[in-house]
Amino acid sequence: MPEDPSAVDAAQLNAYFALMDVAGLLKHAVEQQLREDGDLSFIQFQLLARLGLGSPTGSERMTDLADGVVYSRSGLTYQVGLLDKAGLVTRAPSPDDDRGVTVTITDAGRERIATVMPGHGEVLKRLLQPLAAVDAETITELLSPVRDHMRAAPPRSAAPRRRR
Amino acid sequence: MPEDPSAVDAAQLNAYFALMDVAGLLKHAVEQQLREDGDLSFIQFQLLARLGLGSPTGSERMTDLADGVVYSRSGLTYQVGLLDKAGLVTRAPSPDDDRGVTVTITDAGRERIATVMPGHGEVLKRLLQPLAAVDAETITELLSPVRDHMRAAPPRSAAPRRRR
DNA sequence: TATTGTTATACTCTATAACTATA
DNA sequence: TATAGTTATAGAGTATAACAATA
């Protein structure tokens, strides 16, 4: 049994597998619900939720959106383009920087979120049933720092360009 | 402020968002590593790991693989086909049931796992850094029941067929 | 009849590189 | 020169339905 000193510790490895499995199963389930109830992909839902629930103004710049979701720029352009075409967001030049594009959720976008949320909640309640309220809080407390750590790390939306 | 009784509780909702964000960022990072170090997709890695590390014989039936990863049958056939073409697994009729196909990892498959594991561990160590060993164990303990619950739930590989 | 797995097909999503425009 | 965003393109992945074969 060779001991590999560069190996990640077993506890983290198990957490990693559990995390990826749960997230994968969960994503699969909610994607189905979002498609059926609101004709939305998971990422479109994330973007709408970020604009509609996370932003006080309902607006954000493309770059900020990209950093939140961690996406290629072109992928984000594509998804926002779909939302735009569906009338769920609008795009306009950023007021302070004419290079930028500010994305704003529309009333229809907010309605769409309201449409899918009940069903979304039901799926979550059903699948996360083993997770008591206290457990859920514990998970959030443990994972939030990880999320912040990863978002602060090098690979952000602009990185692919800088890296050459 | 309308109180929606069908709404999922806030603690679970936050855990859900944290979970999906972390898993998304993590997957993005490891996919890059797996592609660079071993020309593997994440799912191919999951399949190889399940066969090479999770199974005592190195073999599993397609249906069992599908239930583990939760995939469409055709998607699994596609991915296993790629692994087969790359010489990392072999496929043979199941000994007890001639309808079934038993997938077995090859020596080359085991070598491929060994090749990517060090780099994989490094990525995990770097990204999960905020997660102390105790925290990691806590997460595993909290998420494992969720995983089991979700895998036991209706939507399995055969379900789409049964459901009509 | 029901289940296992494959195939054909069509579609969605994603990334890379080249490009335009503004700072 | 560097950054913001779009576009063209090409490739990977996924799901649905129809299919063949076995239980």
Side-chain angles (χ1 to χ4, degrees):
Chain A
M1 273 289 190
E3 284 275 345
D4 186 342
S6 87
V8 70
D9 71 67
Q12 282 184 331
L13 195 64
N14 286 332
Y16 160 63
F17 282 132
L19 196 78
M20 297 306 264
D21 285 349
V22 168
L25 290 161
L26 197 50
K27 191 177 177 193
H28 198 267
V30 298
E31 267 179 341
Q32 222 169 296
Q33 182 269 325
L34 289 170
R35 184 61 68 190
E36 282 172 12
D37 291 359
D39 197 35
L40 291 175
S41 70
F42 181 69
I43 291 160
Q44 289 161 12
F45 169 74
Q46 278 187 309
L47 292 172
L48 280 186
R50 174 150 183 165
L51 291 171
L53 310 174
S55 162
T57 62
S59 297
E60 272 199 69
R61 277 188 62 161
M62 290 291 284
T63 297
D64 298 328
L65 283 176
D67 284 346
V69 191
V70 174
Y71 237 44
S72 67
R73 295 153 167 286
S74 63
L76 182 63
T77 296
Y78 172 73
Q79 292 293 344
V80 172
L82 291 181
L83 290 174
D84 190 356
K85 214 182 304 178
L88 305 178
V89 304
T90 57
R91 283 185 283 189
S94 296
D96 53 316
D97 183 342
D98 270 351
R99 293 174 304 179
V101 167
T102 295
V103 183
T104 305
I105 190 169
T106 63
D107 289 344
R110 293 188 188 276
E111 279 166 29
R112 188 67 62 92
I113 294 183
T115 301
V116 300
M117 273 322 259
H120 205 71
E122 275 168 33
V123 172
L124 294 182
K125 229 178 5 187
R126 177 161 53 83
L127 296 185
L128 297 183
Q129 193 186 314
L131 219 52
V134 197
D135 296 346
E137 274 173 25
T138 307
I139 285 187
T140 306
E141 281 163 20
L142 292 177
L143 290 187
S144 293
V146 179
R147 167 168 52 186
D148 295 342
H149 173 72
M150 293 174 85
R151 283 202 173 137
R156 310 196 66 161
S157 68
R161 264 182 186 167
R162 291 194 193 114
R163 241 187 278 155
R164 75 180 150 119
Chain B
M1 274 286 188
E3 285 274 344
D4 186 340
S6 86
V8 70
D9 71 67
Q12 283 185 329
L13 195 64
N14 286 332
Y16 160 63
F17 283 133
L19 197 77
M20 297 306 265
D21 286 348
V22 168
L25 290 160
L26 197 50
K27 190 177 178 193
H28 198 267
V30 298
E31 265 178 342
Q32 223 168 295
Q33 182 269 325
L34 289 170
R35 184 60 69 191
E36 282 173 12
D37 291 0
D39 197 34
L40 291 175
S41 70
F42 181 68
I43 291 159
Q44 289 161 13
F45 170 73
Q46 278 186 310
L47 291 172
L48 279 186
R50 171 145 184 169
L51 291 171
L53 310 175
S55 161
T57 62
S59 296
E60 269 198 73
R61 278 189 59 163
M62 290 290 284
T63 297
D64 298 328
L65 283 176
D67 284 346
V69 190
V70 175
Y71 237 43
S72 67
R73 296 151 167 285
S74 63
L76 182 63
T77 297
Y78 172 74
Q79 291 292 345
V80 171
L82 290 180
L83 291 174
D84 190 356
K85 215 182 303 180
L88 306 178
V89 304
T90 57
R91 280 184 284 188
S94 297
D96 53 315
D97 184 343
D98 269 353
R99 293 173 305 181
V101 167
T102 296
V103 184
T104 305
I105 189 170
T106 63
D107 289 345
R110 292 187 189 277
E111 279 166 29
R112 188 66 62 91
I113 294 182
T115 300
V116 300
M117 272 323 260
H120 205 70
E122 275 167 34
V123 172
L124 294 182
K125 229 176 9 185
R126 177 161 53 83
L127 296 185
L128 297 184
Q129 195 186 315
L131 218 51
V134 198
D135 296 345
E137 274 172 27
T138 305
I139 285 187
T140 306
E141 281 162 21
L142 291 177
L143 291 188
S144 292
V146 179
R147 167 168 53 185
D148 296 340
H149 173 71
M150 293 175 84
R151 283 202 172 137
R156 311 195 67 161
S157 68
R161 262 181 190 170
R162 289 194 195 114
R163 241 187 279 154
R164 71 174 153 124

